Amino acid sequence: MGRGIVPIWFFKKGFLDDYKKFAYEDGSVATKKMKYKEYIKDYIEDKVNENKNNYDLECYLSQVDFEECFPEIVGDITYPAYLDSKPFISFWHGFSTKNFTSASTLHFDRIHNIFVQVRGKKRILLFPPSNYLSFYPPLEDSSGIGHNSKVNPDILNLELFPKFPWEEKIEVVLQPGEMLYIPPFWWHHVTAVDENISLSFWYDVKIQDFFSQKNMLKVFLNIAPHYLYHAISSGESLMHTMNFFKGII
């Protein structure tokens, strides 16, 4: 797999600590493409072994198209048989050191996610969907990402986020060989416990899912007006609307 070309996300130090950056499209994030073996040697091994002292930029191999980047081992993957369609597979390779831990922001996805831990451990915080605005999506300007929350669920802040459902948190540490199903519209925050590899099996939402999956239609109807109003007011209504409904067929 070492010759595969992968996009690496680079973050400025402290990026994931400031919602004014991570919850907006114009935050300080950049991507660079490199061979997978270069990412392992120059970032994973050196960071974990603390061979590099320059921590102005941090990085994460996040949500890579598995079949496109690693065709050599596609045949080694058995697709989970729980949902009756072919999934899109994302590949993740992160790490944790005393200076940086690869993580996602608190967000929801609009499709089914069967998350598989292959190597190392990941800590996942889950919040069942309730009132959309209680998760403080950054809707106040056009660069806000509607499926992101401004809340860092690891830092209790009742002054800034008094309506956030802090007590509804579900915490899971996913071990190698374990799978976790994350339903559409469930908020989640993922953090590396150590150097680790994961796969996400993404499945499109079907119309019938809104009626067979408990509260899914109610949750969607709670989110949609705010999400679409933000899309229209931002002047990018077509793009945001298509993204919001992407995968729903």
Side-chain angles (χ1 to χ4, degrees), residues 175-195:
Q175 306 286 337
E178 293 184 333
M179 298 192 304
L180 177 69
Y181 170 58
I182 304 175
F185 308 113
W186 272 61
W187 296 83
H188 50 286
H189 178 266
V190 184
T191 308
V193 176
D194 50 19
E195 189 259 321

Side-chain angles (χ1 to χ4, degrees), residues 196-209:
N196 69 86
I197 292 173
S198 315
L199 293 173
S200 282
F201 293 82
W202 304 99
Y203 295 83
D204 289 340
V205 169
K206 309 289 186 181
I207 290 295
Q208 57 265 32
D209 295 341

Side-chain angles (χ1 to χ4, degrees), residues 123 125 127 151-157 166 169 171 189 191:
R123 172 176 172 264
L125 301 181
F127 294 86
V151 178
N152 181 341
D154 282 325
I155 303 175
L156 180 65
N157 192 328
W166 299 98
K169 176 177 70 177
E171 182 172 348
H189 178 266
T191 308

Side-chain angles (χ1 to χ4, degrees), residues 3-109:
R3 295 188 301 274
I5 303 298
V6 293
I8 309 299
W9 290 86
F10 284 88
F11 310 85
K12 287 187 178 179
K13 187 175 181 179
F15 172 81
L16 294 171
D17 299 325
D18 184 356
Y19 74 83
K20 294 178 181 178
K21 297 177 182 176
F22 67 67
Y24 298 86
E25 291 179 344
D26 56 359
S28 52
V29 181
T31 58
K32 178 182 177 181
K33 291 187 176 182
M34 65 181 69
K35 291 181 179 179
Y36 182 42
K37 63 182 179 182
E38 293 174 355
Y39 171 69
I40 293 174
K41 179 180 182 299
D42 294 341
Y43 295 96
I44 296 290
E45 292 179 352
D46 282 346
K47 293 280 189 180
V48 171
N49 295 326
E50 299 182 6
N51 293 334
K52 287 190 175 181
N53 297 316
N54 181 6
Y55 293 100
D56 290 337
L57 287 176
E58 300 298 352
C59 61
Y60 185 18
L61 196 164
S62 169
Q63 203 166 328
V64 166
D65 184 333
F66 175 77
E67 294 186 346
E68 177 182 321
C69 292
F70 306 121
E72 305 94 330
I73 61 169
V74 168
D76 294 340
I77 300 299
T78 300
Y79 293 178
Y82 302 109
L83 295 162
D84 187 23
S85 59
K86 181 181 177 181
F88 174 83
I89 307 175
S90 292
F91 179 91
W92 315 74
H93 192 166
F95 58 94
S96 179
T97 70
K98 66 180 181 181
N99 296 285
F100 176 76
T101 296
S102 55
S104 75
T105 60
L106 181 64
H107 68 286
F108 71 82
D109 299 305

Side-chain angles (χ1 to χ4, degrees), residues 108-112 147 184-185 205 227 243-246 248:
F108 71 82
D109 299 305
R110 297 173 292 274
I111 52 182
H112 303 278
H147 57 272
F185 308 113
V205 169
Y227 202 100
N243 284 340
F244 185 70
F245 287 102
K246 184 179 180 181
I248 299 175

Side-chain angles (χ1 to χ4, degrees), residues 99-143:
N99 296 285
F100 176 76
T101 296
S102 55
S104 75
T105 60
L106 181 64
H107 68 286
F108 71 82
D109 299 305
R110 297 173 292 274
I111 52 182
H112 303 278
N113 181 7
I114 296 180
F115 192 86
V116 179
Q117 195 62 21
V118 177
R119 170 189 176 100
K121 299 184 291 291
K122 275 189 173 171
R123 172 176 172 264
I124 303 177
L125 301 181
L126 296 155
F127 294 86
S130 53
N131 179 21
Y132 175 56
L133 296 182
S134 295
F135 287 89
Y136 295 90
L139 304 179
E140 63 276 4
D141 70 48
S142 61
S143 67

